[in-house]
Amino acid sequence: MDHVLILGGTQFFGKRLVHTLLENGKKVTLATRGHKADPFGDKVQRLVIDREDSQSMKEAFANQTYDIVYDQSCFSPQEALDSANALRGKARKYIFTSSQAVYDFGTNRTEEEFDPYHFSFNYKTRQEYPGYLGYQEAKRAAESVLFTQTDFEVTAVRLPIVIGPDDYTKRLTFHVDKVKKNEPIGIENPDARYSFIHSKEAAEFLYLMGASSFTGPINPGCEEDISLLELIGKIEKQTNHKAIITNILTKENTSPYSLPGPWSINTNKVKQLGYTFSSLDSVLEELIM
């Protein structure tokens, strides 16, 4: 039986990952701040850590060993370094939940378009990485730490936008509700294209990476991308309502998917490894209600 440590992971697709691990007979330890309840009862072990307090991790992981670590809650290079140091010699494989945000804006981005082995950065706390650009830099720098300063077998799963019925952010629901209520949706660049992955398949892929010998960065997700204008069109068709789109952005109307540029990935490498994902049409059809 593999012993799996999950840093974070009690929300959204993280819950699905825990369920998948348990269903496959893995021993699971959750390391979180302990502020939120989880639904796993006595099926998991729990440790209380603070990602911004390196000593808390050293104490929590003392005298522990793990086969696989899933890092679902790292938002700075300092946190990556601190967790790696606390787990040095205590784990074999480290799977980092990264993001397509590591790429510059654009479409069809391949894994080679961000090289974590040659990325210069300064160590900062998560509070020093505000907004989208801060998130981008933090994920880039965390990948760089894990790939260049640790002895783990490292996989960086560069997830696109995750959607599913369990999405607590309600970002897709925002658009559906606005269309149904005939309320305007503020979009900066309606033709910008984005990539998505279903939360169930995101969790399944993370699980499979734990069982795989693959290391390095990888782009999972639906093969197709979609523009916000096309997404709104699908919502219009399924709800039989006409959307109101505006380029005047306010706090109340701005699409949570509205970014200055396109944000989509190339999934050829993951297909070459033998992994497949649902079509984006089928995923959206399920979720637009």
Side-chain angles (χ1 to χ4, degrees), residues 1 5 13 15 34 65 109 111 119 132 143 149 176 193 195 208 219 228 236 243 249 255 262 273 282 288:
M1 176 188 290
L5 172 67
F13 60 91
K15 288 183 181 179
T65 58
R109 293 301 195 195
E111 287 85 353
F119 178 67
Y132 172 81
E143 277 198 23
Q149 300 186 45
V176 177
R193 306 192 70 80
S195 290
L208 291 171
N219 294 339
L228 288 186
E236 289 178 322
L249 308 183
S255 163
L273 292 172
S282 66
I288 297 171

Side-chain angles (χ1 to χ4, degrees), residues 71 96-100 102 135 139-140 143 156-159:
D71 192 342
F96 176 48
T97 300
S98 188
S99 168
Q100 68 177 8
V102 299
Y135 177 77
K139 287 294 187 182
R140 286 173 169 177
E143 277 198 23
V157 180
R158 294 173 176 171
L159 291 174

Side-chain angles (χ1 to χ4, degrees), residues 199-212:
S199 57
K200 181 176 183 292
E201 294 182 348
E204 289 174 348
F205 185 73
L206 286 167
Y207 170 76
L208 291 171
M209 284 294 94
S212 169

Side-chain angles (χ1 to χ4, degrees), residues 41 169-170 173 191 226 257:
T169 70
K170 305 295 184 184
T173 304
D191 295 318
I226 191 171
Y257 294 151

